[in-house]
Amino acid sequence: MAVVVGFIPTDVGFKALAAAREQAEKRGGPLIVVNVVRVGVASDPRHADDQQLEIARDELRQATMRVEIRQENTEDDISDVLLRVVEEEHAELLVLGIRRQNDLARHLLGLTVQKLLLSSPSEVLVV
């Protein structure tokens, strides 16, 4: 079964990528890496550039399963894009990285993560 990871080019994003690779190898399924680019929001640090996507590819070169890296452009909510990919791929697991910048942030989740936790038809692993 497929594993989908919502990838952002940060330390947390690369930790989520590593966890997703491990899970995909355990489950024997493909790994679908998705970086969502919001149309009209060019300066968003969650958008991966070509160099960052190449670093992600390098991290996954030795993977034992099929790996697909997608960059999805959308005007929709990021969570809607990830949910669509999970459904299209019949994914068994969605992997997300969250930022924990301070003690308060550890107890609160962003709206995107909350929506994905509540709406995903698959299991969700938060890294």
PDB file of all heavy atoms in Angstrom, residues 68-87:
ATOM      1  N   GLU A  68       7.827   8.476  -6.102  1.00  0.00           N
ATOM      2  CA  GLU A  68       7.339   9.509  -7.011  1.00  0.00           C
ATOM      3  C   GLU A  68       7.336  10.840  -6.263  1.00  0.00           C
ATOM      4  O   GLU A  68       6.795  10.917  -5.156  1.00  0.00           O
ATOM      5  CB  GLU A  68       5.926   9.167  -7.482  1.00  0.00           C
ATOM      6  CG  GLU A  68       5.341  10.167  -8.443  1.00  0.00           C
ATOM      7  CD  GLU A  68       3.933   9.789  -8.879  1.00  0.00           C
ATOM      8  OE1 GLU A  68       3.549   8.614  -8.776  1.00  0.00           O
ATOM      9  OE2 GLU A  68       3.206  10.719  -9.291  1.00  0.00           O
ATOM     10  N   ILE A  69       7.954  11.852  -6.858  1.00  0.00           N
ATOM     11  CA  ILE A  69       7.965  13.180  -6.250  1.00  0.00           C
ATOM     12  C   ILE A  69       7.104  14.096  -7.111  1.00  0.00           C
ATOM     13  O   ILE A  69       7.348  14.233  -8.305  1.00  0.00           O
ATOM     14  CB  ILE A  69       9.393  13.729  -6.115  1.00  0.00           C
ATOM     15  CG1 ILE A  69      10.210  12.825  -5.178  1.00  0.00           C
ATOM     16  CG2 ILE A  69       9.367  15.171  -5.596  1.00  0.00           C
ATOM     17  CD1 ILE A  69      11.642  13.247  -4.986  1.00  0.00           C
ATOM     18  N   ARG A  70       6.107  14.693  -6.475  1.00  0.00           N
ATOM     19  CA  ARG A  70       5.182  15.583  -7.171  1.00  0.00           C
ATOM     20  C   ARG A  70       5.243  16.979  -6.563  1.00  0.00           C
ATOM     21  O   ARG A  70       5.354  17.126  -5.354  1.00  0.00           O
ATOM     22  CB  ARG A  70       3.731  15.112  -7.025  1.00  0.00           C
ATOM     23  CG  ARG A  70       3.425  13.763  -7.535  1.00  0.00           C
ATOM     24  CD  ARG A  70       1.963  13.490  -7.302  1.00  0.00           C
ATOM     25  NE  ARG A  70       1.625  12.123  -7.620  1.00  0.00           N
ATOM     26  CZ  ARG A  70       0.419  11.607  -7.465  1.00  0.00           C
ATOM     27  NH1 ARG A  70      -0.560  12.354  -6.977  1.00  0.00           N
ATOM     28  NH2 ARG A  70       0.187  10.361  -7.772  1.00  0.00           N
ATOM     29  N   GLN A  71       5.097  17.956  -7.424  1.00  0.00           N
ATOM     30  CA  GLN A  71       4.892  19.319  -6.942  1.00  0.00           C
ATOM     31  C   GLN A  71       3.542  19.744  -7.486  1.00  0.00           C
ATOM     32  O   GLN A  71       3.360  19.861  -8.689  1.00  0.00           O
ATOM     33  CB  GLN A  71       6.009  20.249  -7.392  1.00  0.00           C
ATOM     34  CG  GLN A  71       6.022  21.527  -6.604  1.00  0.00           C
ATOM     35  CD  GLN A  71       7.341  22.261  -6.718  1.00  0.00           C
ATOM     36  OE1 GLN A  71       7.889  22.371  -7.806  1.00  0.00           O
ATOM     37  NE2 GLN A  71       7.836  22.771  -5.613  1.00  0.00           N
ATOM     38  N   GLU A  72       2.597  19.907  -6.588  1.00  0.00           N
ATOM     39  CA  GLU A  72       1.216  20.223  -6.951  1.00  0.00           C
ATOM     40  C   GLU A  72       0.976  21.720  -6.793  1.00  0.00           C
ATOM     41  O   GLU A  72       1.152  22.265  -5.703  1.00  0.00           O
ATOM     42  CB  GLU A  72       0.244  19.456  -6.055  1.00  0.00           C
ATOM     43  CG  GLU A  72       0.354  17.957  -6.140  1.00  0.00           C
ATOM     44  CD  GLU A  72      -0.495  17.370  -7.236  1.00  0.00           C
ATOM     45  OE1 GLU A  72      -1.436  18.051  -7.698  1.00  0.00           O
ATOM     46  OE2 GLU A  72      -0.222  16.220  -7.632  1.00  0.00           O
ATOM     47  N   ASN A  73       0.584  22.379  -7.865  1.00  0.00           N
ATOM     48  CA  ASN A  73       0.219  23.794  -7.828  1.00  0.00           C
ATOM     49  C   ASN A  73      -1.287  23.893  -7.611  1.00  0.00           C
ATOM     50  O   ASN A  73      -2.050  23.194  -8.276  1.00  0.00           O
ATOM     51  CB  ASN A  73       0.598  24.484  -9.141  1.00  0.00           C
ATOM     52  CG  ASN A  73       2.093  24.518  -9.324  1.00  0.00           C
ATOM     53  OD1 ASN A  73       2.804  25.108  -8.543  1.00  0.00           O
ATOM     54  ND2 ASN A  73       2.578  23.850 -10.360  1.00  0.00           N
ATOM     55  N   THR A  74      -1.685  24.759  -6.685  1.00  0.00           N
ATOM     56  CA  THR A  74      -3.103  24.829  -6.369  1.00  0.00           C
ATOM     57  C   THR A  74      -3.500  26.199  -5.855  1.00  0.00           C
ATOM     58  O   THR A  74      -2.678  26.929  -5.304  1.00  0.00           O
ATOM     59  CB  THR A  74      -3.481  23.762  -5.322  1.00  0.00           C
ATOM     60  OG1 THR A  74      -4.895  23.760  -5.145  1.00  0.00           O
ATOM     61  CG2 THR A  74      -2.824  24.041  -3.988  1.00  0.00           C
ATOM     62  N   GLU A  75      -4.751  26.500  -6.031  1.00  0.00           N
ATOM     63  CA  GLU A  75      -5.372  27.648  -5.366  1.00  0.00           C
ATOM     64  C   GLU A  75      -6.187  27.156  -4.177  1.00  0.00           C
ATOM     65  O   GLU A  75      -6.691  27.949  -3.407  1.00  0.00           O
ATOM     66  CB  GLU A  75      -6.252  28.416  -6.351  1.00  0.00           C
ATOM     67  CG  GLU A  75      -5.462  29.094  -7.448  1.00  0.00           C
ATOM     68  CD  GLU A  75      -6.336  29.844  -8.447  1.00  0.00           C
ATOM     69  OE1 GLU A  75      -7.572  29.813  -8.315  1.00  0.00           O
ATOM     70  OE2 GLU A  75      -5.766  30.455  -9.357  1.00  0.00           O
ATOM     71  N   ASP A  76      -6.310  25.833  -4.061  1.00  0.00           N
ATOM     72  CA  ASP A  76      -7.082  25.218  -2.985  1.00  0.00           C
ATOM     73  C   ASP A  76      -6.280  25.171  -1.702  1.00  0.00           C
ATOM     74  O   ASP A  76      -5.101  25.500  -1.653  1.00  0.00           O
ATOM     75  CB  ASP A  76      -7.477  23.788  -3.375  1.00  0.00           C
ATOM     76  CG  ASP A  76      -8.423  23.749  -4.570  1.00  0.00           C
ATOM     77  OD1 ASP A  76      -9.160  24.732  -4.767  1.00  0.00           O
ATOM     78  OD2 ASP A  76      -8.407  22.744  -5.298  1.00  0.00           O
ATOM     79  N   ASP A  77      -6.923  24.696  -0.678  1.00  0.00           N
ATOM     80  CA  ASP A  77      -6.283  24.484   0.612  1.00  0.00           C
ATOM     81  C   ASP A  77      -5.261  23.350   0.479  1.00  0.00           C
ATOM     82  O   ASP A  77      -5.510  22.353  -0.210  1.00  0.00           O
ATOM     83  CB  ASP A  77      -7.368  24.113   1.625  1.00  0.00           C
ATOM     84  CG  ASP A  77      -6.848  24.047   3.025  1.00  0.00           C
ATOM     85  OD1 ASP A  77      -6.478  25.104   3.551  1.00  0.00           O
ATOM     86  OD2 ASP A  77      -6.809  22.934   3.577  1.00  0.00           O
ATOM     87  N   ILE A  78      -4.127  23.484   1.139  1.00  0.00           N
ATOM     88  CA  ILE A  78      -3.081  22.467   1.084  1.00  0.00           C
ATOM     89  C   ILE A  78      -3.624  21.113   1.518  1.00  0.00           C
ATOM     90  O   ILE A  78      -3.327  20.084   0.904  1.00  0.00           O
ATOM     91  CB  ILE A  78      -1.892  22.890   1.971  1.00  0.00           C
ATOM     92  CG1 ILE A  78      -1.199  24.110   1.368  1.00  0.00           C
ATOM     93  CG2 ILE A  78      -0.905  21.739   2.167  1.00  0.00           C
ATOM     94  CD1 ILE A  78      -0.185  24.769   2.277  1.00  0.00           C
ATOM     95  N   SER A  79      -4.412  21.094   2.561  1.00  0.00           N
ATOM     96  CA  SER A  79      -4.950  19.824   3.053  1.00  0.00           C
ATOM     97  C   SER A  79      -5.841  19.154   2.006  1.00  0.00           C
ATOM     98  O   SER A  79      -5.829  17.922   1.885  1.00  0.00           O
ATOM     99  CB  SER A  79      -5.704  20.018   4.366  1.00  0.00           C
ATOM    100  OG  SER A  79      -6.733  20.963   4.212  1.00  0.00           O
ATOM    101  N   ASP A  80      -6.585  19.925   1.238  1.00  0.00           N
ATOM    102  CA  ASP A  80      -7.429  19.333   0.195  1.00  0.00           C
ATOM    103  C   ASP A  80      -6.593  18.618  -0.856  1.00  0.00           C
ATOM    104  O   ASP A  80      -6.965  17.544  -1.342  1.00  0.00           O
ATOM    105  CB  ASP A  80      -8.295  20.400  -0.475  1.00  0.00           C
ATOM    106  CG  ASP A  80      -9.376  20.946   0.444  1.00  0.00           C
ATOM    107  OD1 ASP A  80      -9.748  20.250   1.411  1.00  0.00           O
ATOM    108  OD2 ASP A  80      -9.845  22.078   0.203  1.00  0.00           O
ATOM    109  N   VAL A  81      -5.460  19.192  -1.210  1.00  0.00           N
ATOM    110  CA  VAL A  81      -4.572  18.568  -2.188  1.00  0.00           C
ATOM    111  C   VAL A  81      -4.030  17.260  -1.632  1.00  0.00           C
ATOM    112  O   VAL A  81      -4.042  16.222  -2.315  1.00  0.00           O
ATOM    113  CB  VAL A  81      -3.423  19.522  -2.582  1.00  0.00           C
ATOM    114  CG1 VAL A  81      -2.425  18.821  -3.487  1.00  0.00           C
ATOM    115  CG2 VAL A  81      -3.977  20.768  -3.254  1.00  0.00           C
ATOM    116  N   LEU A  82      -3.547  17.271  -0.405  1.00  0.00           N
ATOM    117  CA  LEU A  82      -3.004  16.044   0.187  1.00  0.00           C
ATOM    118  C   LEU A  82      -4.078  14.970   0.338  1.00  0.00           C
ATOM    119  O   LEU A  82      -3.823  13.788   0.069  1.00  0.00           O
ATOM    120  CB  LEU A  82      -2.342  16.350   1.529  1.00  0.00           C
ATOM    121  CG  LEU A  82      -1.063  17.184   1.442  1.00  0.00           C
ATOM    122  CD1 LEU A  82      -0.606  17.602   2.831  1.00  0.00           C
ATOM    123  CD2 LEU A  82       0.034  16.431   0.716  1.00  0.00           C
ATOM    124  N   LEU A  83      -5.270  15.356   0.738  1.00  0.00           N
ATOM    125  CA  LEU A  83      -6.368  14.388   0.845  1.00  0.00           C
ATOM    126  C   LEU A  83      -6.707  13.782  -0.511  1.00  0.00           C
ATOM    127  O   LEU A  83      -6.966  12.574  -0.619  1.00  0.00           O
ATOM    128  CB  LEU A  83      -7.600  15.039   1.466  1.00  0.00           C
ATOM    129  CG  LEU A  83      -7.488  15.389   2.940  1.00  0.00           C
ATOM    130  CD1 LEU A  83      -8.667  16.247   3.380  1.00  0.00           C
ATOM    131  CD2 LEU A  83      -7.373  14.126   3.796  1.00  0.00           C
ATOM    132  N   ARG A  84      -6.686  14.602  -1.554  1.00  0.00           N
ATOM    133  CA  ARG A  84      -6.954  14.090  -2.902  1.00  0.00           C
ATOM    134  C   ARG A  84      -5.911  13.056  -3.302  1.00  0.00           C
ATOM    135  O   ARG A  84      -6.244  11.983  -3.819  1.00  0.00           O
ATOM    136  CB  ARG A  84      -6.990  15.233  -3.915  1.00  0.00           C
ATOM    137  CG  ARG A  84      -7.231  14.756  -5.355  1.00  0.00           C
ATOM    138  CD  ARG A  84      -7.262  15.892  -6.363  1.00  0.00           C
ATOM    139  NE  ARG A  84      -6.189  16.858  -6.249  1.00  0.00           N
ATOM    140  CZ  ARG A  84      -4.936  16.678  -6.698  1.00  0.00           C
ATOM    141  NH1 ARG A  84      -4.594  15.541  -7.261  1.00  0.00           N
ATOM    142  NH2 ARG A  84      -4.033  17.627  -6.575  1.00  0.00           N
ATOM    143  N   VAL A  85      -4.645  13.340  -3.050  1.00  0.00           N
ATOM    144  CA  VAL A  85      -3.575  12.410  -3.408  1.00  0.00           C
ATOM    145  C   VAL A  85      -3.710  11.109  -2.609  1.00  0.00           C
ATOM    146  O   VAL A  85      -3.563  10.019  -3.165  1.00  0.00           O
ATOM    147  CB  VAL A  85      -2.183  13.046  -3.206  1.00  0.00           C
ATOM    148  CG1 VAL A  85      -1.079  12.020  -3.415  1.00  0.00           C
ATOM    149  CG2 VAL A  85      -1.999  14.229  -4.150  1.00  0.00           C
ATOM    150  N   VAL A  86      -4.009  11.213  -1.323  1.00  0.00           N
ATOM    151  CA  VAL A  86      -4.209  10.021  -0.494  1.00  0.00           C
ATOM    152  C   VAL A  86      -5.313   9.158  -1.096  1.00  0.00           C
ATOM    153  O   VAL A  86      -5.166   7.936  -1.222  1.00  0.00           O
ATOM    154  CB  VAL A  86      -4.528  10.408   0.969  1.00  0.00           C
ATOM    155  CG1 VAL A  86      -5.084   9.228   1.752  1.00  0.00           C
ATOM    156  CG2 VAL A  86      -3.289  10.969   1.646  1.00  0.00           C
ATOM    157  N   GLU A  87      -6.407   9.776  -1.491  1.00  0.00           N
ATOM    158  CA  GLU A  87      -7.530   9.024  -2.058  1.00  0.00           C
ATOM    159  C   GLU A  87      -7.173   8.441  -3.428  1.00  0.00           C
ATOM    160  O   GLU A  87      -7.470   7.270  -3.704  1.00  0.00           O
ATOM    161  CB  GLU A  87      -8.764   9.911  -2.143  1.00  0.00           C
ATOM    162  CG  GLU A  87      -9.342  10.210  -0.773  1.00  0.00           C
ATOM    163  CD  GLU A  87     -10.539  11.140  -0.810  1.00  0.00           C
ATOM    164  OE1 GLU A  87     -11.085  11.410  -1.899  1.00  0.00           O
ATOM    165  OE2 GLU A  87     -10.927  11.606   0.272  1.00  0.00           O
TER     166      GLU A  87
END
